[in-house]
Amino acid sequence: MIGASKIKQYSNVLEKPLSKGKQEVSLSAFAFLFSELVQYNQTQVDNIAELERRLEDAGYAVGARCLELLCHREKGNRRETRLLGILSFVHSTVWKVLFGKVADSLEKGTEHEDEYMISEKELLVNRFISIPKDMGTFNCGAFVAGIVRGVLDSAGFPAVVTAHFVPMEGQQRPRTTILIKFAEEVLRREARLG
Amino acid sequence: MAPAGPRSGDAIFASVERVNAELFTLTYGAIVRQLLTDLEEVDEVNKQLDQMGYNIGIRLIDEFLAKSNVSRCTDFKETTEVIAKVGFKMFLGVGASVTNWDAEGTCCSIVLEDNPLVDFVELPDTCQGLYYCNVLSGVIRGALEMVSMKTEVTWLRDVLRGDDVFELQVKLIKQVPEEYPYKDDE
């Protein structure tokens, strides 16, 4: 072709160089987009459980892709095989890249062996959202729960992940807790690995 | 103290809170995927994306006017310049330029070289008619409608379809005079 164009044309998206991940958009752009996601899904469902499930599914796709991207970029393609390893990856690396800070806390559940909790004072996605009383315990953090589930599932740690509001004393807005309940096979494998 | 003049897009972008563009990109991808699964028809998805963009635009304009401190634009040319230089920079962190003015000054093109919505995206053969970034055209249309301008926004060039840049054509249909919601006499 005579006269090369200004921008190099990549025939395949896989050949494009991977960005460093430093680019940013405004918080309001993301907030608007997320609100449209929730509003659209509200028109498609009849009840809250369905709505949470749809948000989770949307988040799942984000999480799966996040894992691939971050494993390659941040960790040099090393794979996590231990439970604590993947949990701290989610708690620190994933949170830092997606939300700009590490999660507030990572705790092990006291009642059940297979439960872990990641807590956040104010989830980014919930910042501009208020839940009307008639929606009960609905939490838009289901999107983030979906992201975590996507990351864990793609890394080989199947789990059930849900988001819950935990009211805190002395604070107006409740804290959000992402509850991770690992599948049987994960615990058995972990026990075998010692 | 004299009122502050209009701020540049870079200055505003540096002062607002920001999030990682990849979260934004991946969330938008999840939305488009959900729409494709639900609606299945590419045209329906295009329309839905435009509608979503419209809903965003009518609210985005308030924030834009509040943060950017621009004075009233005297004509459509100034309006599109402001959208390209300040608006896109402020929300998406990318610059855009305005080209291709027609003789009457009612139709122009906004060219985006960089677009955070389409990182990592490739259109499969089954979705060739999809305007992946149609939400942007809805946003511009909605925002301008709230400042009394009826416009038509279409895509001329799309990187996902093989072109080298994103080009949006913005055409002013008419200026709607502002209507007051009440009558003075009553």
Side-chain angles (χ1 to χ4, degrees):
Chain A
M1 201 162 83
I2 301 174
S5 55
K6 208 162 63 147
I7 301 164
K8 187 157 174 218
Q9 297 302 303
Y10 290 100
S11 52
N12 187 344
V13 71
L14 290 173
E15 286 167 15
K16 274 174 76 171
L18 204 54
S19 69
K20 294 261 187 326
K22 295 275 180 280
Q23 208 193 353
E24 296 180 307
V25 296
S26 76
L27 174 60
S28 36
F30 176 71
F32 278 124
L33 194 66
F34 186 70
S35 90
E36 280 306 310
L37 173 66
V38 176
Q39 282 181 55
Y40 168 72
N41 279 312
Q42 270 183 307
T43 63
Q44 301 286 315
V45 302
D46 300 318
N47 58 58
I48 295 178
E50 265 289 306
L51 184 56
E52 280 201 347
R53 206 183 54 78
R54 286 184 70 111
L55 282 184
E56 255 197 51
D57 288 341
Y60 184 88
V62 176
R65 285 158 179 77
C66 238
L67 177 72
E68 284 186 32
L69 181 67
L70 294 181
C71 260
H72 173 70
R73 199 163 62 196
E74 310 276 334
K75 287 162 37 118
N77 287 328
R78 258 190 57 233
R79 203 163 66 99
E80 288 294 340
T81 48
R82 304 307 302 267
L83 196 66
L84 281 183
I86 193 72
L87 278 174
S88 72
F89 173 70
V90 170
H91 166 268
S92 319
T93 316
V94 176
W95 235 256
K96 185 113 182 61
V97 168
L98 291 183
F99 307 120
K101 59 186 261 300
V102 300
D104 284 347
S105 69
L106 170 64
E107 291 153 1
K108 188 163 151 59
T110 42
E111 291 160 42
H112 302 277
E113 271 305 306
D114 52 356
E115 279 181 5
Y116 289 82
M117 293 166 299
I118 295 183
S119 299
E120 184 80 22
K121 188 157 158 235
E122 181 80 56
L123 267 187
L124 188 79
V125 299
N126 278 342
R127 249 180 86 169
F128 300 111
I129 295 190
S130 55
I131 314 282
K133 283 266 181 345
D134 58 351
M135 293 193 80
T137 53
F138 172 63
N139 190 338
C140 286
F143 182 69
V144 177
I147 295 182
V148 174
R149 190 166 69 92
V151 172
L152 291 175
D153 226 14
S154 311
F157 293 84
V160 172
V161 187
T162 45
H164 304 273
F165 279 127
V166 175
M168 297 291 289
E169 279 179 27
Q171 274 172 35
Q172 223 184 9
R173 303 256 297 177
R175 201 171 65 152
T176 311
T177 298
I178 311 280
L179 184 64
I180 305 170
K181 199 174 163 67
F182 286 103
E184 261 300 309
E185 60 197 75
V186 175
L187 296 166
R188 274 186 273 135
R189 187 177 68 208
E190 192 67 18
R192 260 210 318 277
L193 287 171
Chain B
M1 202 163 112
R7 301 160 68 189
S8 79
D10 288 309
I12 308 172
F13 189 61
S15 68
V16 292
E17 279 189 60
R18 297 180 292 281
V19 296
N20 191 325
E22 283 162 3
L23 175 61
F24 183 69
T25 308
L26 292 174
T27 307
Y28 185 66
I31 293 178
V32 177
R33 252 196 320 276
Q34 260 194 348
L35 287 175
L36 281 169
T37 323
D38 293 338
L39 300 171
E40 283 170 32
E41 281 289 315
V42 161
D43 288 323
E44 287 295 313
V45 177
N46 284 337
K47 272 208 300 238
Q48 184 67 36
L49 283 175
D50 188 75
Q51 182 60 36
M52 281 175 139
Y54 181 81
N55 293 340
I56 294 179
I58 58 183
R59 293 158 63 199
L60 185 126
I61 184 73
D62 281 333
E63 181 166 347
F64 174 73
L65 290 173
K67 293 226 163 92
S68 70
N69 243 345
V70 292
S71 49
R72 199 175 182 80
C73 291
T74 47
D75 61 4
F76 190 59
K77 281 200 172 174
E78 215 183 307
T79 312
T80 47
E81 274 294 324
V82 161
I83 294 177
K85 295 275 172 300
V86 185
F88 273 103
K89 188 74 199 176
M90 192 171 137
F91 289 104
L92 294 180
V94 296
S97 51
V98 186
T99 55
N100 275 356
W101 278 105
D102 74 343
E104 294 122 43
T106 54
C107 184
C108 69
S109 293
I110 297 187
V111 176
L112 277 170
E113 290 207 354
D114 205 8
N115 189 344
L117 290 173
V118 303
D119 282 337
F120 322 129
V121 176
E122 187 178 49
L123 280 188
D125 291 326
T126 49
C127 300
Q128 283 304 314
L130 181 67
Y131 285 114
Y132 188 80
C133 312
N134 219 20
V135 78
L136 289 178
S137 62
V139 168
I140 296 181
R141 190 169 63 91
L144 287 178
E145 196 161 310
M146 287 294 118
V147 286
S148 325
M149 281 180 249
K150 261 188 103 62
T151 50
E152 196 180 283
V153 187
T154 43
W155 286 99
L156 288 182
R157 281 192 285 171
D158 192 337
V159 169
L160 296 175
R161 292 176 170 214
D163 303 308
D164 49 350
V165 289
F166 288 98
E167 190 172 336
L168 271 169
Q169 184 185 59
V170 184
K171 192 162 140 158
L172 178 66
I173 310 274
K174 65 174 179 174
Q175 295 255 18
V176 183
E178 273 198 40
E179 275 184 28
Y180 286 99
Y182 52 85
K183 292 218 181 348
D184 277 339
D185 301 335
E186 287 168 42

